């Protein structure tokens, strides 16, 4: 076979570090500190310190393939770790600080993490599970002023030199590790590769995806401690964008203050974050001076169409994306194709709320319950399956999870979806969250989105509750907006405008808050447990 004349250059994260550290050395990296003072550095300094940290880790005995854990917020030092650890062939394992201590301990032990790099303000969390883990060394960043007796991050950094020992990294080596949220059993580990991470960063930056460039100022509100902040730190570094990292301050007012102070024009977060941001913007419309071109990516759970349209009324673009830990995680983005411009207003709204079209190199398909592949007609539903160069094809040390993959190599997402003729994914629900009532399926997501479109409802979650006649019936848990008054009858009447009577929840319960997972998704498992003994009147 005739071979190409192209050079065989491995795709590694080192190439991104070298590029941003030289071409964009003076470009800002701004971090919000615990006391809300802006810490400023740049790509050149981050690259220098990352190499020094890499050298220090080598002197500490870290070898290719070793796992180095981080327990940190979004800030400059975490970005240094993002590049330093993979640059010597080791694997950065970002521990999710919102998990229970027992779960963090299980994950760290299962991953066989050797070293922990941690923010001082997270030491109280660490002490909750300290006796369950056995890190060889604990290195603490003095971030919030918490006293400690562990190794200091800056002292550890100073033990390295300007250039770590060269490692001939294979692009297929693991560079990062993240565990799933564990909503259906023990969390499962996914190993991201150098090649997959570079390709994901390029895919994210494309015009019909994140549309990122060195003219942008980006802020990953999504956590660097889970799913690599959707790959945004790597994509931003690849194109040389200014990066603004919010630290521990994720309330709406703090985020808007940060956006206003630093000129952020691209950001990404989960729906619950943007719900609070919208409420703040409407409550104090003149408080913040935001970029005229502010774009917000939203994903992680279903996004109500009403929230997208609310931001449009403010002149802002809230753009849906879809993905999972297993997909690195961005697999599709809802950028509008020109054909959609000719559709009526309601249909355009529906398209804006869909999960989007797959990024280049990612393939998506729907498989029905009878094992057939669904046509892209926007109607035929089944399980959404994915494959591509940044989609996992196994879990770390979990042979029991082989049923998550098809015989022909596709990943089974567990999402119920249809695909339109234009290639847009419409996710109906998670397979485990569908409600089967009297032999018919009810989508909890559709009900939730319509509930949260009501002016008096802040959040809503719909779950299946066992029923003596119908097998299951929907129950709606609703959080009222502050000062709002709404009855269960009014809630049901609102839903009747869009849904058949048999879809309407038989009961509405008003709650102070809806439990959420570590990544901001509604924790339906907790609600099911809370209402397990529910008795219908």
């Amino acid at each position: 076979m005739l071979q190409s004349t192209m050079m065989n250059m491995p795709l590694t994260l080192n190439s991104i570090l070298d590029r941003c550290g030289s071409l964009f050395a003076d470009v800002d990296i701004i971090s919000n500190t615990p006391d809300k003072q802006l810490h400023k550095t740049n790509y050149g300094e981050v690259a220098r310190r990352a190499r020094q940290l890499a050298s220090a880790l080598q002197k500490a005995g870290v070898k290719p393939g070793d796992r180095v854990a981080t327990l940190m917020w979004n800030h400059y030092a975490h970005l240094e770790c993002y590049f330093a650890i993979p640059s010597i062939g080791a694997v950065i394992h970002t521990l999710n600080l919102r998990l229970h201590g027992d779960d963090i301990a299980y994950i760290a032990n299962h991953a066989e993490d050797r070293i922990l790099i941690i923010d001082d303000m997270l030491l109280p969390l660490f002490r909750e599970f300290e006796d369950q883990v056995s890190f060889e060394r604990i290195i603490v960043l003095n971030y919030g002023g918490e006293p400690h007796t562990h190794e200091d991050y800056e002292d550890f950094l100073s033990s390295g030199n300007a250039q770590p020992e060269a490692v001939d990294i294979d692009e297929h080596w693991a560079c990062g590790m993240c565990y799933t949220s564990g909503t259906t059993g023990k969390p499962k580990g996914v190993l991201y590769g150098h090649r997959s991470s570079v390709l994901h960063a390029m895919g994210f930056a494309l015009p019909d995806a994140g549309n990122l460039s060195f003219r942008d100022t980006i802020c990953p509100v999504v956590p660097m401690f889970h799913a690599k902040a959707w790959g945004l730190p790597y994509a931003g570094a690849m194109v040389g964008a200014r990066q603004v990292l919010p630290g521990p301050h994720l309330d709406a007012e703090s985020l808007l203050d940060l956006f206003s102070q630093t000129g952020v024009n691209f950001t990404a977060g989960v729906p619950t974050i943007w719900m609070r941001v919208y409420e703040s913007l409407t409550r104090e419309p003149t408080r913040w001076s935001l970029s005229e071109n502010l774009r917000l990516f939203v994903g992680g759970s279903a996004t109500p169409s009403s929230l997208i349209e609310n931001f449009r009324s403010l002149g802002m673009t809230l753009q849906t994306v879809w993905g999972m830990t297993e997909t690195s995680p961005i697999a599709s983005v809802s950028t509008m194709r020109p054909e959609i411009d000719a559709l009526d207003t309601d249909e355009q709204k529906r398209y804006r709320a869909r999960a989007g079209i797959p990024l280049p190199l990612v393939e998506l398909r729907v498989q029905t319950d009878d094992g057939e592949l669904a046509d892209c007609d926007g109607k035929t539903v089944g399980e959404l399956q994915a494959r591509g160069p940044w989609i996992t094809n196994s879990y770390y040390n979990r042979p029991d999870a082989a049923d998550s993959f098809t015989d022909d190599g596709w990943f089974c997402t567990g999402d119920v979806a249809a695909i339109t003729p234009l290639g847009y994914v419409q996710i109906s629900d998670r397979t485990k969250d569908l409600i089967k009532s009297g032999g018919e399926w009810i989508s909890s997501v559709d009900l939730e989105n319509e509930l949260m479109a009501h002016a008096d409802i802040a959040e809503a979650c719909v779950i299946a509750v066992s029923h003596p006649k119908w097998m299951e019936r929907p129950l709606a848990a609703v959080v009222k907006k502050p000062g709002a008054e709404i009855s269960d009858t009014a809630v049901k009447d609102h839903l009747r405008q869009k849904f058949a009577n048999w879809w309407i929840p038989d009961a509405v319960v008003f709650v102070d808050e809806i439990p959420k997972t570590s990544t901001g998704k509604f924790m339906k498992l907790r609600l099911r447990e809370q209402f397990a003994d529910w008795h219908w009147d």
Side-chain angles (χ1 to χ4, degrees):
M1 182 63 68
L2 186 65
Q3 299 292 309
S4 81
T5 61
M6 298 299 105
M7 294 181 182
N8 184 19
M9 297 289 289
L11 302 180
T12 70
L13 293 177
N14 293 23
S15 64
I16 297 179
L17 179 64
D18 292 343
R19 185 173 197 265
C20 70
S22 57
L23 282 179
F24 307 111
D26 295 331
V27 174
D28 290 339
I29 306 294
I30 301 172
S31 304
N32 208 3
T33 64
D35 59 357
K36 294 192 176 182
Q37 300 299 309
L38 298 186
H39 174 282
K40 293 188 178 182
T41 183
N42 54 47
Y43 280 122
E45 187 68 3
V46 164
R48 183 189 70 78
R49 285 168 56 90
R51 294 187 183 101
Q52 192 171 354
L53 175 58
S55 172
L57 289 167
Q58 286 179 325
K59 290 183 177 182
V62 174
K63 296 179 173 55
D66 287 345
R67 272 75 76 198
V68 177
T70 60
L71 194 60
M72 310 173 89
W73 289 101
N74 292 20
H75 51 59
Y76 69 96
H78 209 172
L79 188 63
E80 292 166 2
C81 293
Y82 259 48
F83 284 106
I85 297 166
S87 74
I88 55 174
V91 180
I92 178 172
H93 178 200
T94 52
L95 294 172
N96 189 335
L97 60 88
R98 289 184 177 138
L99 294 177
H100 188 276
D102 291 345
D103 290 328
I104 299 176
Y106 166 81
I107 288 169
N109 290 330
H110 187 266
E112 300 177 278
D113 296 331
R114 289 186 58 192
I115 291 176
L116 173 66
I117 304 176
I118 181 174
D119 289 342
D120 58 358
M121 65 188 301
L122 295 174
L123 285 170
L125 170 61
F126 173 64
R127 294 185 189 110
E128 293 178 11
F129 62 91
E130 184 175 9
D131 60 350
Q132 302 177 55
V133 293
S134 54
F135 295 111
E136 296 172 20
R137 298 176 75 162
I138 298 166
I139 301 158
V140 179
L141 175 73
N142 291 323
Y143 185 50
E146 178 84 12
H148 64 87
T149 57
H150 300 289
E151 291 184 74
D152 177 75
Y153 180 81
E154 294 298 331
D155 289 343
F156 181 77
L157 200 71
S158 66
S159 70
N161 54 44
Q163 194 61 45
E165 296 176 19
V167 177
D168 186 14
I169 295 175
D170 187 298
E171 65 178 15
H172 295 288
W173 284 5
C175 66
M177 192 174 203
C178 183
Y179 276 67
T180 63
S181 299
T183 54
T184 56
K186 286 292 187 183
K188 298 185 285 289
V190 175
L191 286 166
Y192 301 148
H194 279 268
R195 178 176 182 269
S196 70
S197 296
V198 170
L199 290 173
H200 181 269
M202 292 183 69
F204 197 148
L206 288 172
D208 290 332
N211 192 24
L212 303 178
S213 83
F214 46 61
R215 294 178 179 271
D216 290 316
T217 297
I218 67 175
C219 179
V221 175
V222 285
M224 293 173 73
F225 53 77
H226 183 69
K228 289 296 189 71
W230 295 2
L232 192 50
Y234 289 144
M238 175 180 279
V239 301
R242 291 175 76 229
Q243 296 205 37
V244 177
L245 305 171
H249 306 295
L250 301 181
D251 61 283
E253 288 75 16
S254 294
L255 288 174
L256 287 167
D257 286 342
L258 186 64
F259 295 171
S260 182
Q261 292 167 23
T262 59
V264 167
N265 71 317
F266 181 91
T267 182
V270 297
T272 48
I273 290 283
W274 303 136
M275 288 176 188
R276 302 291 87 80
V277 165
Y278 174 74
E279 290 172 4
S280 295
L281 287 171
T282 52
R283 187 168 55 248
E284 300 181 81
T286 61
R287 175 173 166 180
W288 295 282
S289 176
L290 301 178
S291 168
E292 293 181 1
N293 302 314
L294 179 60
R295 295 178 296 129
L296 308 96
F297 264 27
V298 58
S301 60
T303 303
S305 176
S306 58
L307 184 63
I308 297 169
E309 300 309 316
N310 285 341
F311 272 98
R312 282 176 60 82
S313 71
L314 300 178
M316 300 179 191
T317 300
L318 184 66
Q319 194 168 348
T320 58
V321 299
W322 173 83
M324 308 171 69
T325 302
E326 293 90 340
T327 65
S328 292
I330 303 299
S332 68
V333 178
S334 194
T335 301
M336 295 297 98
R337 291 178 55 168
E339 296 95 323
I340 297 172
D341 295 342
L343 301 177
D344 63 52
T345 301
D346 288 341
E347 188 63 15
Q348 288 185 29
K349 289 180 181 179
R350 282 189 282 272
Y351 265 98
R352 285 193 287 268
R354 290 184 170 122
I357 60 175
L359 292 183
L361 308 182
V362 172
E363 298 177 55
L364 299 176
R365 73 182 188 186
V366 168
Q367 189 173 61
T368 63
D369 289 342
D370 58 10
E372 298 297 322
L373 296 182
D375 292 332
C376 294
D377 55 12
K379 300 175 183 177
T380 307
V381 298
E383 183 181 44
L384 186 64
Q385 299 174 349
R387 70 176 181 182
W390 60 80
I391 314 297
T392 195
N393 66 1
S394 64
Y395 291 106
Y396 173 70
N397 198 19
R398 285 292 297 272
D400 59 307
D403 60 355
S404 294
F405 306 90
T406 67
D407 292 338
D408 57 345
W410 292 69
F411 167 61
C412 304
T413 69
D415 279 332
V416 179
I419 300 178
T420 74
L422 291 177
Y424 286 75
V425 176
Q426 173 65 54
I427 294 177
S428 306
D429 220 324
R430 295 288 292 167
T431 53
K432 65 180 183 295
D433 292 332
L434 282 170
I435 301 165
K436 195 162 191 179
S437 181
E440 299 290 341
W441 291 109
I442 296 173
S443 169
S444 63
V445 167
D446 287 350
L447 290 170
E448 288 161 359
N449 287 345
E450 189 58 32
L451 285 169
M452 287 185 283
H454 194 287
D456 293 326
I457 294 176
E459 294 178 348
C461 190
V462 177
I463 60 171
V465 175
S466 179
H467 192 280
K469 180 179 179 181
W470 301 111
M471 199 164 87
E472 291 179 340
R473 287 297 296 155
L475 179 146
V478 170
V479 179
K480 301 176 186 177
K481 287 185 178 178
E485 291 296 333
I486 183 172
S487 66
D488 58 348
T489 301
V491 170
K492 293 177 184 179
D493 288 344
H494 173 72
L495 292 175
R496 285 192 179 93
Q497 299 176 46
K498 289 289 183 72
F499 302 105
N501 277 332
W502 61 274
W503 269 54
I504 308 303
D506 286 6
V508 176
V509 292
F510 294 99
V511 296
D512 293 332
E513 63 178 352
I514 293 173
K516 297 178 180 65
T517 69
S518 61
T519 53
K521 301 176 185 178
F522 292 147
M523 192 177 289
K524 294 191 175 184
L525 179 60
R526 186 77 56 80
L527 280 179
R528 292 190 194 102
E529 292 171 350
Q530 181 178 343
F531 295 104
D533 297 325
W534 180 268
H535 294 289
W536 300 103
D537 294 334

